[in-house]
Amino acid sequence: MNIFAQIKHVDRFQKVNYYTVQFEHKPVSEFEDFFQKHENNLAVNDEFADIILWLEKIGNEIGANKNYFRHEKKADALPPPSKFVEIDYTENLRLYCMRVTDSIVILFNGGIKTKEVSSAQSCPIVSTFFDSANKLVQSIDSLITERAITISKDGFELLQIEGTDIII
């Protein structure tokens, strides 16, 4: 069964333009769902705040340099790898995304990766988000390769996203 989605613009910062994906059968986008689930969750309050701070820092100060993202198969994730994060988190909140260029990031969804498992694929909580993110990246990459979605000349915007279905 095919699942259809569309790319939606989230916010434009000085160095990064953020987008998200909204599935046709869901009332909110993937990033909105992540935000709503975790913004008031006291168990991940620090981790959530740090992810939001990283989105702002990446967006306004450093750009979407690949070193600041966890590489999770085809997808990426925040927070950055431990060499950039000084706090040992109580939980292990992940936000999956796609770093398209140093100036374009597509935000997906995420959850709390259990520490007892070594990989996101084997985690009962985040494996669904991990799998979805990797399928989305593969589909979006294909649309970019086929030029159904293009990147602006300055590398700062996705073009032709209105009406272009992502199929996973």
Side-chain angles (χ1 to χ4, degrees), residues 35-134:
F35 197 91
Q36 290 171 2
K37 282 187 302 193
H38 301 292
E39 72 176 321
N40 294 315
N41 181 345
L42 297 178
V44 292
N45 192 44
D46 290 341
E47 291 97 304
F48 178 78
D50 280 352
I51 287 174
I52 299 304
L53 286 172
W54 274 106
L55 289 173
E56 291 171 359
K57 182 175 183 157
I58 288 167
N60 284 324
E61 297 173 30
I62 58 178
N65 181 305
K66 66 182 174 182
N67 295 325
Y68 290 98
F69 293 84
R70 293 172 185 267
H71 306 292
E72 309 245 349
K73 205 172 171 184
K74 292 180 184 274
D76 295 303
L78 289 170
S82 58
K83 65 183 175 184
F84 297 107
V85 180
E86 299 174 16
I87 300 169
D88 183 26
Y89 295 123
T90 306
E91 300 294 338
N92 213 350
L93 186 64
R94 292 279 191 278
L95 171 61
Y96 291 98
C97 56
M98 177 183 183
R99 192 190 140 282
V100 180
T101 68
D102 285 348
S103 300
I104 299 171
V105 176
I106 303 173
L107 305 171
F108 301 133
N109 208 327
I112 302 167
K113 182 184 160 289
T114 54
K115 290 185 177 185
E116 294 79 31
V117 295
S118 60
S119 69
Q121 299 103 299
S122 58
C123 175
I125 298 170
V126 298
S127 62
T128 303
F129 302 115
F130 171 87
D131 291 339
S132 176
N134 280 287

Side-chain angles (χ1 to χ4, degrees), residues 133-149:
N134 280 287
K135 288 175 185 174
L136 285 164
V137 169
Q138 185 174 348
S139 184
I140 293 167
D141 269 344
S142 293
L143 290 169
I144 292 170
T145 300
E146 295 164 3
R147 304 206 38 87
I149 294 175

Side-chain angles (χ1 to χ4, degrees), residues 20-34 36 109:
T20 190
V21 170
Q22 183 162 353
F23 290 105
E24 68 178 353
H25 64 282
K26 291 190 177 178
V28 296
S29 73
E30 289 299 279
F31 180 64
E32 287 173 291
D33 186 51
F34 173 84
Q36 290 171 2
N109 208 327

